[in-house]
Amino acid sequence: MSTINLKYTSDNGVEFPLVAEKMYLKEASFHEYEYTPEKVSYQYGDLLKLFTKDALKYNATLAFSGSESIRQQNIEAIHDAWEHDILTENAGRLTWNGYEIDCFFISSKVYSNESNTRTLNDVVIYCPYPFWLRETLYQFQITGQGSVVDGLDFPFDLPCDLGFGGSRKAISFNTSVPLDFRMIIYGLVENPSIYINGHLYEANIIVPSNSTLTISSVEKNDREKCMILKYPSGNETSVLYSRNRESYIFEPIMPKNGKITVSSSQTMKFDLYLVEKRSEPKWT
């Protein structure tokens, strides 16, 4: 059976492995989901308009082992983290083999087994945005006439055709659906222009030195598609107005024959995060 890497991270960055010896997930409904068809009904059948998906609520049980005092310490620690997320109204995060979902633990019931050797904790996990996301990072350094002098891909389980030299880099990526993305462009660069599978992503703006321009097509319940310029001071401002209106800046990326081709004729450094979206995390 495949190894599962599962953890919860609170909004303030405290991590709790959920496959540890003293604290582990006993059972959960992470692989259950449902879509709702929006439709027009006729005498014979329906006309499908689209599918919608409600926020998720997972039922799960955690198990705590060890001495009674150790169990109490571990329960109090993770409960404090859950409470922090609730009181600040900032979601924590579940991570399953690289797939992440924002979450709140909104219900908890603690009890011991009959022999009092384990403490069990039934919980309800509320996920406002009903998708698990996995980001894969590709880094580019382009110099002069668009020569790609570096290209790294993370994590390592996705193959990459390094293809150094020239103005293009071909990335191998196995998917049958369009991908959302986040692109981080590092200054100094003027009017950054990048082609991905022949589609132009361009901003008519100067990105100052030590500043970054983030272009994100990820749209969640609490996060809109955006273009954000971040200055060295940490101040941020929306620069959506600077987008090239002749070429859609948030166009999803669809591999062609399992390949994604990235090119530019400018000197710049940028990161490209490809974002996979799933109703349930993969087991492997």
Side-chain angles (χ1 to χ4, degrees):
M1 187 173 181
S2 301
T3 301
I4 296 174
N5 183 6
L6 176 64
K7 66 180 179 180
Y8 155 74
T9 307
S10 65
D11 170 65
N12 59 349
V14 182
E15 291 189 359
F16 296 86
L18 298 181
V19 287
E21 179 182 356
K22 301 298 184 182
M23 178 171 54
Y24 58 93
L25 187 73
K26 184 173 179 290
E27 57 185 51
S29 55
F30 294 153
H31 291 84
E32 297 178 4
Y33 65 89
E34 182 178 5
Y35 284 86
T36 301
E38 297 293 329
K39 60 189 186 302
V40 177
S41 296
Y42 293 98
Q43 181 178 0
Y44 300 109
D46 300 329
L47 174 63
L48 177 66
K49 295 293 187 180
L50 74 163
F51 287 101
T52 62
K53 199 165 186 281
D54 293 334
L56 299 174
K57 284 186 179 180
Y58 291 125
N59 295 309
T61 300
L62 296 174
F64 298 84
S65 60
S67 66
E68 188 171 355
S69 62
I70 288 179
R71 282 180 274 160
Q72 289 176 349
Q73 291 174 13
N74 288 334
I75 291 171
E76 287 181 359
I78 198 167
H79 282 203
D80 284 348
W82 298 344
E83 193 78 355
H84 168 86
D85 296 345
I86 293 287
L87 294 178
T88 61
E89 298 182 358
N90 292 317
R93 184 172 66 252
L94 283 171
T95 305
W96 174 299
N97 286 353
Y99 288 90
E100 298 182 344
I101 192 167
D102 292 344
C103 68
F104 295 92
F105 286 73
I106 62 172
S107 176
S108 173
K109 178 183 177 182
V110 176
Y111 55 97
S112 297
N113 62 352
E114 292 183 359
S115 59
N116 196 29
T117 56
R118 288 191 307 171
T119 301
L120 302 178
N121 191 177
D122 292 340
V123 297
V124 175
I125 306 170
Y126 169 61
C127 302
Y129 184 67
F131 291 100
W132 294 77
L133 304 179
R134 182 170 70 172
E135 295 187 347
T136 304
L137 168 62
Y138 295 84
Q139 297 179 308
F140 300 88
Q141 179 75 50
I142 297 179
T143 60
Q145 299 300 312
S147 296
V148 178
V149 298
D150 193 14
L152 304 174
D153 72 290
F154 305 94
F156 301 104
D157 58 346
L158 290 173
C160 175
D161 181 6
L162 294 178
F164 296 125
S167 61
R168 295 185 177 184
K169 173 177 167 59
I171 300 168
S172 297
F173 204 101
N174 184 23
T175 183
S176 60
V177 297
L179 299 166
D180 280 323
F181 68 90
R182 283 192 304 119
M183 191 184 305
I184 302 176
I185 300 170
Y186 297 88
L188 172 72
V189 61
E190 183 176 354
N191 300 334
S193 174
I194 298 167
Y195 284 89
I196 301 178
N197 278 0
H199 184 83
L200 174 63
Y201 299 83
E202 185 175 45
N204 297 311
I205 194 172
I206 296 176
V207 183
S209 295
N210 301 316
S211 301
T212 58
L213 171 64
T214 297
I215 304 170
S216 176
S217 73
V218 179
E219 186 172 26
K220 297 168 60 174
N221 53 309
D222 62 343
R223 183 195 309 167
E224 296 181 349
K225 298 176 181 180
C226 64
M227 293 177 64
I228 301 296
L229 183 61
K230 184 175 182 179
Y231 295 97
S233 63
N235 292 335
E236 299 180 349
T237 184
S238 173
V239 291
L240 187 60
Y241 65 86
S242 70
R243 70 193 185 278
N244 181 337
R245 298 176 185 270
E246 301 298 320
S247 186
Y248 185 46
I249 194 70
F250 302 123
E251 181 72 17
I253 298 172
M254 183 65 204
K256 296 179 180 179
N257 299 318
K259 295 284 186 179
I260 298 172
T261 301
V262 181
S263 62
S264 178
S265 60
Q266 294 176 281
T267 297
M268 75 172 87
K269 175 184 176 183
F270 63 94
D271 297 339
L272 176 64
Y273 292 84
L274 299 180
V275 183
E276 300 171 82
K277 180 169 66 175
R278 291 180 54 87
S279 295
E280 60 179 357
K282 287 185 178 181
W283 285 99
T284 56

